[in-house]
Amino acid sequence: MTDHELAEFEETLAARAFDVEKLLQSLLDERLRTGEIARPPRLLAAMRHGVLNGGKRLRPFLVAEAAALFGHEGHEARLVAAALECVHSYSLVHDDLPAMDDDDLRRGQPTVHKAFDEATAILAGDGLLTFAFDLIAGDPAYESGPDTLSPTQRLDLIRGLAVAAGFGGMVGGQALDLEAERVKPDERGIITLQAMKTGALIRFACEAGAIVAGASVADRERLAEFGSAIGLAFQLADDLLDLTADAAAMGKATGKDAEAGKATLPALHGMEWTRRQLAGLVAQAHELLEPYGERAETLKRAASFVAERRR
Ligand code: GRG
């Protein structure tokens, strides 16, 4: 990707992030959804701080683009995309806690436990995680048009998200990551950890778009494989950025992995090897999209961006 292409893609991503932000703003205002008793103001403010703070919104972008690949550009994809961002943001809020990574800065702002307090940050994360499932299950009072998702599609989305975010996915990956501070994993162990911690949600973002659009099982699987390839690329790029980028560009502390002596693939094999691996993963991701021709151009660019991003 040339610098110009990278900047162009970042602009597209930013424009789309603006839409996601607007939707999340309205979903997380004072209005109650069906069945809610009250939204405690301080908790709501902490949840908003955790999610409405200028992330790249990559996972929502992947949901929407995967859905568009199969001809769906409706509101359902936007709600599923917002749900995935809630889960992602919850994971960051909890990851930043003193008991985990103990970070003061996230997305260029004080972390939720710094801006509020630790107990509120834990609850804000819990609130965001569970809200995601409310969004995916669908509140008829809030749907703007006819509900085009079948009960089977909704169940596939709910289970898919639970598995991707759960103990066999992201939460399990975080547990392995904490264990890795005591016993260093080997190469296979690092890949498993990363496929779970960051890969599972990115993989599911791509599959979710295909589910929303009613794509065939084979297409769903292909998009999930694409998601796995870019999920691993995303983590490798993150490891490289931790070594090379500055904290201002990233909006969070950098150099933490090396400082902690953390087992990462760049630490094991060096930066050149990692860059070659990244190029291979992008090529694999592009190849998986070959059957879709021109229509997959934006998703292909997303794969390149993930590997070459600077923040
Ligand atoms: C605490 C259950 C639990 C899980 C935490 C994802 C995760 C698991 C921790 C995040 C730690 C971390 C910095 C991982 C590196 C990759 C990553 C997920 C980076 C942040 O994602 P971006 O770059 O962030 O998409 P933005 O802010 O743009 O949304």
Side-chain angles (χ1 to χ4, degrees):
M1 230 179 185
T2 62
D3 281 358
H4 176 70
E5 284 167 340
L6 194 63
E8 213 170 54
F9 185 82
E10 275 179 335
E11 254 174 53
T12 310
L13 194 59
R16 301 282 284 279
F18 182 76
D19 292 339
V20 178
E21 192 98 6
K22 249 185 9 203
L23 178 60
L24 285 164
Q25 283 274 7
S26 90
L27 290 166
L28 288 168
D29 64 17
E30 301 79 23
R31 280 171 301 161
L32 301 183
R33 283 165 67 86
T34 304
E36 288 178 351
I37 298 166
R39 292 184 165 193
R42 186 174 160 81
L43 177 60
L44 183 60
M47 287 166 68
R48 291 173 62 92
H49 185 96
V51 74
L52 296 170
N53 55 2
K56 290 186 289 300
R57 315 302 187 194
L58 177 67
R59 294 147 193 85
F61 184 87
L62 293 171
V63 174
E65 278 307 317
L69 186 64
F70 300 104
H72 175 104
E73 304 207 1
H75 190 53
E76 286 83 358
R78 296 176 65 233
L79 287 171
V80 172
L84 258 76
E85 190 63 16
C86 286
V87 173
H88 169 58
S89 298
Y90 124 76
S91 81
L92 300 182
V93 172
H94 280 192
D95 182 65
D96 290 334
L97 285 166
M100 302 238 192
D101 230 22
D102 195 9
D103 274 305
D104 296 350
L105 203 62
R106 168 70 65 185
R107 293 170 170 172
Q109 293 178 39
T111 45
V112 178
H113 66 275
K114 283 282 163 191
F116 293 80
D117 57 76
E118 230 177 291
T120 306
I122 293 171
L123 293 174
D126 294 342
L128 287 169
L129 172 62
T130 42
F131 187 54
F133 288 95
D134 176 10
L135 290 180
I136 291 196
D139 178 350
Y142 274 76
E143 303 295 351
S144 56
D147 185 0
T148 59
L149 293 189
S150 69
T152 307
Q153 277 169 302
R154 289 209 187 269
L155 281 177
D156 285 354
L157 288 166
I158 289 168
R159 176 157 197 276
L161 182 57
V163 171
F167 74 149
M170 185 177 72
V171 168
Q174 180 77 349
L176 291 177
D177 200 35
L178 293 174
E179 263 170 42
E181 286 170 19
R182 284 183 290 110
V183 186
K184 277 201 182 170
D186 58 11
E187 175 165 346
R188 187 107 307 273
I190 298 172
I191 292 174
T192 302
L193 182 166
Q194 296 183 339
M196 293 171 77
K197 184 176 138 179
T198 39
L201 200 59
I202 291 176
R203 175 184 167 100
F204 181 65
C206 299
E207 189 184 359
I211 296 175
V212 171
S216 69
V217 173
D219 283 329
R220 271 169 58 169
E221 186 51 36
R222 186 172 280 275
L223 265 288
E225 284 306 311
F226 167 78
S228 283
I230 66 169
L232 184 51
F234 181 93
Q235 184 61 53
L236 287 181
D238 204 72
D239 292 341
L240 283 180
L241 285 168
D242 191 68
L243 290 169
T244 57
D246 64 22
M250 294 294 282
K252 64 177 186 181
T254 52
K256 288 191 73 168
D257 294 350
E259 200 182 295
K262 201 163 171 182
T264 64
L265 292 177
L268 214 60
H269 294 295
M271 306 240 271
E272 268 325 299
W273 179 93
T274 308
R275 290 202 177 99
R276 278 200 305 277
Q277 285 297 112
L278 267 173
L281 285 164
V282 172
Q284 185 191 333
H286 285 184
E287 208 177 302
L288 280 159
L289 297 181
E290 272 322 310
Y292 311 114
E294 284 281 297
R295 279 184 299 141
E297 219 27 66
T298 314
L299 274 180
K300 281 188 180 169
R301 275 201 293 274
S304 304
F305 164 79
V306 156
E308 295 175 39
R309 71 201 167 95
R310 313 234 165 96
R311 74 175 182 103

